[in-house]
Amino acid sequence: MSTIGKALALLDTLSRLDKEAGLTDIARLCALDKATARRFLVELEKHGFVEQDPDSRRYRIGSAPVRLARIREARFPFLRIAIPFIKALAESSTETVHLSEFSGGRLSTIHVEDSPRAHRIIVDVGSLLPFHATASGLAFLAFCPQTEIEAALAKNLERFTDSTVTDPQLVRAALDETATRGFSISHQGLETGVISTAAPVRTPSGRPIGCVAIAAPLSRTTKTAIQEFGALAVATANAISEKYYGSERPTGTIPDIRRRD
């Protein structure tokens, strides 16, 4: 990995911590020696990407990423446009609804609307969504070009629960079902006791940019309910696409980029 890549990986690691961290912990988490980690932190601090508390000497994310995020959202208001639709879906489903976006080769959660029920699924903003083990990942990958599907399935498919599907052939079958149906279903793929369904938000050409997902406790979700949630996720994802891109809507259930040679 390049020097810039290592520095950005450090910044990414710091962003995922739920509290400030010291130099020793940061170096350990990033598999760096302390001298290298300190050098990266000093440079990142100069440019406002990290801050060091003057009393505790611990580090946290700085204001520069926030500034850049605000500029990006002002120019490409995906989140602002999507949130009202996500809120409406959460109200109608009474389950946890989350929105993800693809960036840097990864799919991550960018907004969550919690279920009002006492027994509900908790999803954290910023959490990564493995392609093979989550409804969002399956929904996203199902509408990607075949070369990207094969590249994703060639990697190590981590097992998170006893129900996680790690056989590439079985994942391919799930992707075909998802593309035909329009939405995915993940049955305890990432977390035991959770069932989720998701649909992709797509560009006018059909390429996915993120997903809308509904996550519910398995104990109260029937087969009928999950089918209804899937249809609602599709309608919401399509509404976000139409609002974001205007009248140019994605064409076809399975875009041309999914064709096999």
Side-chain angles (χ1 to χ4, degrees), residues 163-237:
S163 300
T164 304
V165 178
T166 58
D167 183 334
Q169 283 298 105
L170 295 179
V171 177
R172 288 187 187 93
L175 295 177
D176 288 340
E177 291 174 3
T178 296
T180 300
R181 189 171 48 214
F183 61 88
S184 64
I185 299 173
S186 177
H187 193 282
Q188 306 183 95
L190 185 64
E191 185 177 347
T192 301
V194 177
I195 187 166
S196 303
T197 183
V201 177
R202 296 185 286 152
T203 67
S205 67
R207 175 177 284 275
I209 61 170
C211 291
V212 173
I214 302 174
L218 181 63
S219 58
R220 68 161 176 255
T221 306
T222 63
K223 289 183 178 180
T224 299
I226 200 66
Q227 293 294 323
E228 292 174 351
F229 288 160
L232 288 171
V234 170
T236 300

Side-chain angles (χ1 to χ4, degrees), residues 145-160:
Q146 190 62 31
T147 53
E148 294 179 17
I149 292 175
E150 294 306 321
L153 297 185
K155 298 177 181 178
N156 178 52
L157 303 182
E158 184 178 352
R159 181 175 295 279
F160 298 96

Side-chain angles (χ1 to χ4, degrees), residues 68-81:
L68 294 177
R70 288 174 176 168
I71 292 172
R72 182 184 188 269
E73 183 62 21
R75 296 175 181 173
F76 307 98
F78 177 56
L79 187 59
R80 177 173 58 81
I81 286 173

Side-chain angles (χ1 to χ4, degrees), residues 2 15-17 23 33 37 63 77 90 105 119-120 164 178 190 217 239 256:
S2 68
S15 74
R16 299 185 188 285
L17 300 180
L23 173 61
D33 61 76
S63 61
H119 183 205
R120 62 184 184 271
T164 304
T178 296
L190 185 64
D256 289 342

Side-chain angles (χ1 to χ4, degrees), residues 78 81-82 85-86 99 201 212 236-244:
F78 177 56
I81 286 173
F85 294 101
I86 300 301
L99 175 72
V201 177
V212 173
T236 300
N238 287 344
I240 293 171
S241 295
E242 184 173 7
K243 182 75 172 180
Y244 188 51

Side-chain angles (χ1 to χ4, degrees), residues 21 43 48 59 63 73 96-97 130 143 159-160 169 240 251 260:
E43 287 301 314
Y59 293 90
S63 61
E73 183 62 21
T96 297
V97 177
F143 292 89
R159 181 175 295 279
F160 298 96
Q169 283 298 105
I240 293 171
T251 57
R260 289 185 173 88

